[in-house]
């Protein structure tokens, strides 16, 4: 059966509402930055809003300002590192991820981001050493370790890490793909 006219109009209304919400988020973030121009927290949050809306340039500018105000922010270093990794500025990304790790050795995300970056660059042994040093590995840590081992053709360790990831997050689809690939190679 054909959908009725009101049902077809609903997605347009929802899309318009979503655009209006994003615009309000942006305006609220800009008001926050104007009210607290010397607050690293405010600038960090403004960066998050712009990042969520796909505006990497503005997000990066706000995170750089936040980091200038408080160089001890591991979260800001991590987000900036990711922004530079997306732009394939791997040297800057790596430096920022390493700084985030040095600031907060318990923050798993910069380890994971740097590990993924190292895998992409073919620095597999370095990625394994880094990811194996994460104080409290997450499912994502285990996934990236599995990928690194898989690229090294160490399928036994790859399988072990993929299985560890699934114990932490049983619905992790990307891990199932890696595990299936490893198992297809005859690894019991």
């Amino acid at each position: 059966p054909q959908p009725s006219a009101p049902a077809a109009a609903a997605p347009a209304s929802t899309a318009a509402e979503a655009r209006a919400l994003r615009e309000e988020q942006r305006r609220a973030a800009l008001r926050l930055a104007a009210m607290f121009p010397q607050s690293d927290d405010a600038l960090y949050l403004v960066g998050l809003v712009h990042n969520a809306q796909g505006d990497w340039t503005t997000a990066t500018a706000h995170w750089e300002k936040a980091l200038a105000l408080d160089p001890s922010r591991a979260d800001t270093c991590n987000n900036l590192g990711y922004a530079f990794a997306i732009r394939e500025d791997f040297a800057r990304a790596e430096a920022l991820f390493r700084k985030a790790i040095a600031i907060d050795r318990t923050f798993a995300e910069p380890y994971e981001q740097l590990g993924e970056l190292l895998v992409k660059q073919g620095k597999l042994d370095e990625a394994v050493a880094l990811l194996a040093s994460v104080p409290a590995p997450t499912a994502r840590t285990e996934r990236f370790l599995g990928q690194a081992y898989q690229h090294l053709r160490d399928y036994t360790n790859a399988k072990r890490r993929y299985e560890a990831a699934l114990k932490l997050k049983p619905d992790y689809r990307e891990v199932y793909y890696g595990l299936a690939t490893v198992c297809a190679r005859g690894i019991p």
Side-chain angles (χ1 to χ4, degrees):
Q2 294 287 333
S4 64
S13 175
T14 303
E17 290 170 1
R19 279 192 301 279
L21 178 60
R22 285 192 303 273
E23 180 55 27
E24 179 53 32
Q25 286 175 327
R26 190 187 67 74
R27 282 195 306 263
L30 292 175
R31 282 192 307 271
L32 182 66
M35 290 171 60
F36 303 100
Q38 295 302 310
S39 168
D40 60 292
D41 287 328
L43 293 168
Y44 177 77
L45 289 172
V46 172
L48 287 178
V49 168
H50 285 281
N51 173 55
Q53 295 186 4
D55 183 355
W56 286 98
T57 302
T58 305
T60 299
H62 282 91
W63 288 331
E64 286 175 332
K65 290 176 189 174
L67 198 57
L69 290 170
D70 183 359
S72 69
R73 288 193 69 127
D75 56 352
T76 305
C77 290
N78 183 65
N79 286 2
L80 270 171
Y82 184 72
F84 287 119
I86 291 293
R87 295 179 186 156
E88 296 186 2
D89 186 345
F90 298 137
R92 286 177 80 179
E94 184 173 335
L96 285 158
F97 292 140
R98 290 188 188 282
K99 182 176 179 181
I101 291 167
I103 292 167
D104 184 354
R105 297 202 181 280
T106 65
F107 185 21
E109 195 169 332
Y111 287 91
E112 295 163 353
Q113 301 281 19
L114 180 55
E116 182 180 25
L117 183 68
L118 294 170
V119 168
K120 286 180 181 177
Q121 296 179 82
K123 299 176 183 177
L124 303 173
D125 291 323
E126 188 178 352
V128 167
L130 173 80
L131 292 165
S133 74
V134 175
T138 67
R140 194 165 174 239
T141 308
E142 298 292 357
R143 172 188 165 210
F144 291 142
L145 262 169
Q147 287 177 334
Y149 279 123
Q150 188 173 346
H151 287 297
L152 286 167
R153 295 189 171 105
D154 182 346
Y155 301 119
T156 301
N157 275 320
K159 181 181 180 203
R160 185 170 57 88
R161 293 306 187 155
Y162 286 140
E163 288 171 340
L166 290 173
K167 284 181 184 174
L168 294 169
K169 186 178 176 185
D171 62 343
Y172 205 160
R173 292 182 200 151
E174 295 88 348
V175 174
Y176 282 107
Y177 177 78
L179 184 59
T181 302
V182 167
C183 289
R185 295 194 173 271
I187 304 303

